[in-house]
Amino acid sequence: MQTQSLYQKAIKFAALKHLEQDQIVPGSELPYVVHLSNVAMEILLAAQHSANFDLDYAVQVALLHDTLEDTSTTIEELITEFGPMIAEGVLALTKNEALPKPERMPDSLRRIKQLQAETWAVKLADRITNLQTPPSHWDTAKKIEYRNEAVIILEELKGGNTFLEERLRLKITEYEKYIQS
């Protein structure tokens, strides 16, 4: 299947799943599919700057990365619709809600690092797109925590994708203005 067809299949699946939850981009009125397409856009750009990049895998994982965490989607559905490799990538990007909150991100990063570099790239791309204007209800402590998580992601996934690492480094620097204000 061509990349465009894989993209369409994944974005339609994810859009419907997130729509069932009436999910919007936090701090906005935008449908959640905007976030997913922004993550996929980062992946498309990274593919142009990365040798031996598995774009078909990465774009599907990018579009589906929040389906297990935020919707009623099951791992079995992902395996049936997209295959075990894609499902495994999405699962690695999904925080384990059974763990105490402070352990969720480190656990997810450990699982991401066990998979191919394109999974790392999706995590980097996700945080890049999330470092936008924070929701108005976030206090300074929450903004600092979110920035610090981005720094940890950047450090832990160093070597996964040079292009996206540099993009995330710049977004972290730009995000400082929200902490200073």
Side-chain angles (χ1 to χ4, degrees):
M1 198 180 291
Q2 290 187 326
T3 303
Q4 300 92 322
S5 298
L6 294 170
Y7 184 103
Q8 287 300 314
K9 181 180 178 184
I11 200 167
K12 287 175 185 174
F13 180 92
L16 289 173
K17 291 294 187 172
H18 288 282
L19 197 57
E20 287 175 3
Q21 308 296 317
D22 289 327
Q23 199 171 1
I24 60 170
V25 175
S28 79
E29 295 299 318
L30 296 171
Y32 199 73
V33 71
V34 171
H35 166 67
L36 303 174
S37 65
N38 284 340
V39 175
M41 177 193 61
E42 292 289 342
I43 290 299
L44 291 166
L45 291 171
Q48 294 175 359
H49 299 276
S50 308
N52 304 312
F53 192 87
D54 186 348
L55 179 58
D56 289 349
Y57 170 87
V59 79
Q60 290 177 90
V61 173
L63 292 166
L64 298 166
H65 78 274
D66 279 333
T67 55
L68 291 175
E69 191 167 290
D70 295 341
T71 77
S72 63
T73 304
T74 65
I75 191 72
E76 292 78 17
E77 277 182 280
L78 289 179
I79 292 169
T80 300
E81 290 293 324
F82 301 98
M85 277 184 60
I86 301 302
E88 182 181 36
V90 175
L91 184 59
L93 291 154
T94 302
K95 291 183 205 77
N96 182 347
E97 297 294 325
L99 294 175
K101 189 169 172 134
E103 294 176 27
R104 292 176 189 169
M105 179 66 73
D107 171 69
S108 179
L109 290 171
R110 273 191 302 278
R111 290 181 285 118
I112 289 166
K113 288 167 71 171
Q114 293 172 2
L115 299 179
Q116 64 197 70
E118 289 83 359
T119 312
W120 302 30
V122 172
K123 184 61 183 178
L124 293 165
D126 181 39
R127 190 48 63 113
I128 289 165
T129 63
N130 282 338
L131 284 176
Q132 306 293 329
T133 305
S136 58
H137 64 275
W138 282 14
D139 61 15
T140 302
K142 174 65 176 169
K143 294 173 192 174
I144 291 169
E145 176 188 347
Y146 204 72
R147 187 263 331 267
N148 290 347
E149 268 189 2
V151 170
I152 291 167
I153 291 166
L154 182 60
E155 289 171 359
E156 286 292 319
L157 300 181
K158 189 174 188 132
N161 187 283
T162 306
F163 177 79
L164 291 173
E165 289 167 34
E166 185 55 34
R167 291 266 304 128
L168 181 54
R169 193 172 291 106
L170 290 170
K171 291 298 281 187
I172 291 168
T173 300
E174 290 172 12
Y175 195 77
E176 290 297 324
K177 68 184 173 195
Y178 300 115
I179 295 170
Q180 305 304 323
S181 59

